[in-house]
């Protein structure tokens, strides 16, 4: 069994601006080094390959989330009381409040409304011709998710900035997380005021959380943290997936023609988009007992970094992984996580992304890049800041 001294070391910073903007060369080098690599900058063990990532995600008794999934102690302390930062019964209790709203039956009831909203958003975009794909990608999640969570109309203008900051905070304590910290604090303060004033839409998840607090099932402290926990991931990850889909189909027009000829491929196309451009880069887990990973001895108290984006490009798992191909069976991609901490809102994210692709396929002959895309700088979320596109209407 190898000790830490025998584990290969990676000294480059995958959380630098360059590492965020162009992460895939870093991931390739990490995978080449081995299944477990010591990140010198973060003082944590990286898991760059698919098999080890999936195994760790399934072993929530050894690799826990309750000590935080971030790479800095401040964020891990502030995220106490969330589903993301909890294990066992605490995790199940917090997640159950959202589960009913996102169960298959509930999602089926939402489908018609989501399809209509997607069609309206695409029609408006077509009327403009040249658009920012990020704005189009945000249109549907921003019209669905805040209503579902119960967010009032005031404050919605800050949601995307706030949500991005909550993800930034879960990276290492670097320039980026420090720069966006005031936005994250602002969201927490605003949400605390909402909870105290009970200023949440009736019939929403937020109202469920308030009721659970009244009934003693949740503490007062948990309430605002859960509202953020339910809201933020449901925005940025879905916006990332929709924008990445448009970008990839603009870059690969033959794939767009294939999707137009066979719209039944849309669900798998979403999986391939999430595999190829995973919205989440990585989360950490704390190791609570000495454990062996692929022959490497990982001591209790260590942190391992589950590199979802790297696992989804692992050539040991995928044939020709750097090729975007919607014919590929991408159902086992890890972009939505796996195991008990798999994304609770992935059903809604899939529904929204599929609805947008269906509306685009029906009305758009081609998606073309109309300028140089700009990737956002975020420690955790892989997304565009700006995506100039030209939508060519179908004849």
């Amino acid at each position: 069994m190898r000790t830490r001294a025998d584990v290969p070391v990676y000294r480059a910073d995958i959380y630098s601006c360059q590492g965020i903007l162009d992460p895939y060369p870093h991931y390739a080098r990490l995978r080449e080094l081995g299944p477990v690599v010591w990140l010198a900058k973060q003082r944590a063990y990286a898991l760059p390959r698919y098999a080890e990532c999936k195994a760790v995600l399934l072993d929530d008794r050894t690799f826990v989330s309750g000590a935080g999934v971030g790479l800095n102690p401040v964020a891990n302390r502030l995220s106490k009381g969330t589903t993301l930062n909890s294990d066992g019964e605490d995790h199940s209790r917090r997640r159950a409040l959202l589960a009913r709203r996102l169960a298959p039956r509930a999602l089926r009831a939402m489908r018609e409304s989501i399809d209509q909203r997607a069609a309206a958003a695409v029609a408006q975009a077509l009327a403009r011709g040249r658009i920012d794909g990020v704005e189009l990608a945000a249109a549907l999640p921003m019209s669905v998710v805040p209503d579902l969570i119960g967010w009032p109309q005031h404050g919605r203008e800050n949601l995307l900035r706030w949500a991005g900051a909550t993800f930034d905070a879960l990276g290492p304590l670097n320039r980026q997380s420090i720069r966006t910290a005031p936005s994250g604090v602002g969201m927490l303060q605003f949400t605390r005021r909402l909870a105290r004033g009970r200023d949440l839409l009736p019939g929403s998840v937020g109202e469920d959380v308030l009721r659970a607090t009244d009934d003693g099932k949740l503490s007062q402290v948990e309430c605002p943290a859960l509202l953020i926990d339910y809201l933020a991931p449901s925005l940025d990850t879905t916006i990332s997936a929709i924008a990445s889909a448009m970008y990839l189909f603009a870059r690969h027009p033959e794939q767009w023609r294939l999707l137009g000829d066979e719209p039944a491929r849309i669900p798998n196309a979403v999986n391939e988009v999430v595999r190829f451009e995973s919205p989440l880069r990585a989360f950490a887990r704390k190791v609570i007992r000495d454990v062996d990973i692929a022959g490497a001895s990982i001591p209790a108290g260590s942190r391992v970094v589950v590199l979802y984006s790297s696992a989804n490009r692992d050539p040991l798992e995928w044939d020709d992984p750097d090729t975007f191909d919607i014919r590929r069976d991408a159902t086992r991609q890890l972009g939505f996580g796996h195991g008990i901490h798999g994304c609770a809102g992935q059903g809604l994210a899939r529904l929204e992304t599929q609805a947008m692709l269906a509306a685009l396929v029906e009305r758009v002959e081609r998606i073309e890049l109309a300028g140089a895309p700009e990737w956002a700088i975020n420690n955790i979320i892989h997304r565009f800041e700006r995506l100039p596109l030209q939508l060519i209407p179908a004849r």
Side-chain angles (χ1 to χ4, degrees), residues 49-358:
R49 297 180 182 175
Y50 182 94
E52 289 72 32
C53 285
K54 185 173 181 179
V56 163
L57 292 173
L58 290 173
D59 185 0
D60 55 282
R61 293 181 180 275
T62 304
F63 305 95
V64 301
S65 300
V69 301
L71 281 172
N72 72 86
V74 177
N76 288 336
R77 185 170 63 251
L78 290 175
S79 59
K80 284 285 187 184
T82 64
T83 56
L84 193 62
N85 187 342
S86 60
D87 298 296
E89 177 55 36
D90 278 346
H91 177 264
S92 299
R93 174 172 53 86
R94 292 164 182 158
R95 186 163 175 143
L97 288 169
L98 185 62
R100 177 175 63 86
R101 301 280 184 168
L102 297 178
R105 177 181 294 182
L107 291 177
R108 284 195 295 271
M110 298 168 65
R111 180 180 293 276
E112 183 177 354
S113 172
I114 287 175
D115 287 344
Q116 290 173 352
R117 296 186 195 197
V122 169
Q124 291 174 6
L126 274 170
R128 296 198 303 273
R130 181 168 176 159
I131 62 164
D132 182 351
V134 176
E135 292 182 5
L136 177 56
L140 189 53
M142 282 296 292
S143 73
V144 173
V145 175
D147 286 348
L148 176 70
I149 304 303
W151 204 269
Q153 290 297 324
H154 59 280
R156 291 193 183 194
E157 67 278 6
N158 299 313
L159 279 180
L160 290 180
R161 176 169 54 86
W162 283 348
T166 64
F167 279 111
D168 250 335
L170 295 171
L173 201 59
N174 58 7
R175 182 180 300 177
Q176 181 61 20
S177 59
I178 292 170
R179 184 181 68 82
T180 56
S183 291
V185 172
M187 186 175 197
L188 182 59
Q189 291 173 337
F190 186 84
T191 310
R192 284 173 176 165
R193 290 197 296 272
L194 292 184
R196 282 197 305 268
R198 307 181 76 84
D199 189 11
L200 294 158
L201 299 180
S204 65
V205 171
E207 190 177 60
D208 293 345
V209 171
L210 292 177
R211 190 177 303 112
T213 304
D214 294 340
D215 294 342
K217 297 176 182 177
L218 292 174
S219 68
Q220 294 287 342
V221 175
E222 289 176 289
C223 184
L226 277 177
L227 292 174
I228 294 172
D229 189 35
Y230 292 159
L231 179 75
S234 300
L235 290 175
D236 263 338
T237 53
T238 309
I239 293 168
S240 168
I242 295 172
S244 290
M246 291 187 287
Y247 168 75
L248 289 169
F249 284 118
R251 291 283 306 275
H252 302 277
E254 78 288 351
Q255 295 287 310
W256 184 245
R257 289 192 293 272
L258 175 60
L259 194 66
D261 292 340
E262 302 179 49
R265 292 187 184 270
I266 287 176
N268 189 66
V270 173
N271 279 323
E272 176 66 353
V273 167
V274 172
R275 182 199 70 82
F276 196 83
E277 297 286 6
S278 303
L280 288 175
R281 299 183 70 212
F283 279 141
R285 297 287 192 272
K286 185 176 181 179
V287 183
I288 62 168
R289 63 177 178 85
D290 293 350
V291 67
D292 174 277
I293 303 178
S297 179
I298 312 297
S302 303
R303 285 199 170 265
V304 297
V305 182
V306 181
L307 289 168
Y308 306 103
S309 297
S310 178
N312 280 337
R313 296 278 193 105
D314 182 3
L316 295 176
E317 179 64 25
W318 309 94
D319 293 331
D320 198 14
D322 294 324
T323 295
F324 175 66
D325 187 353
I326 64 171
R327 295 166 295 187
R328 180 198 311 272
D329 179 5
T331 53
R332 64 191 186 280
Q333 52 82 16
L334 299 179
F336 290 119
H338 202 64
I340 67 166
H341 280 279
C343 176
Q346 67 176 281
L348 179 58
R350 291 177 187 278
L351 184 61
E352 291 174 315
T353 309
Q354 289 174 21
M356 285 298 294
L357 285 180

